[in-house]
Amino acid sequence: MLFLVAALLLLGVVLGTVAHAPLTFSVATGLVIAVWLGVFAIRERHGRRRSTSAH
């Protein structure tokens, strides 16, 4: 529960910051996050294919 409260507080701070940041900075930061999440998803999918689990 405490983690959820901290996450919502951090989200509020980040959204407040984005509202005052220039549009180009917001778009560039969004693209960096999107690429990071894409790389993470590809690594996770590749890692799950390679591992042999007993499920």
Side-chain angles (χ1 to χ4, degrees):
M1 183 70 176
L2 186 61
F3 175 75
L4 181 60
V5 171
L8 288 173
L9 181 66
L10 183 62
L11 179 65
V13 170
V14 169
L15 287 178
T17 303
V18 169
H20 297 287
L23 182 63
T24 54
F25 175 77
S26 299
V27 170
T29 305
L31 286 174
V32 168
I33 293 171
V35 168
W36 176 58
L37 288 174
V39 169
F40 177 78
I42 290 170
R43 289 183 64 196
E44 282 293 312
R45 182 172 293 188
H46 181 67
R48 290 187 194 275
R49 271 194 208 151
R50 237 181 3 170
S51 66
T52 57
S53 62
H55 294 242

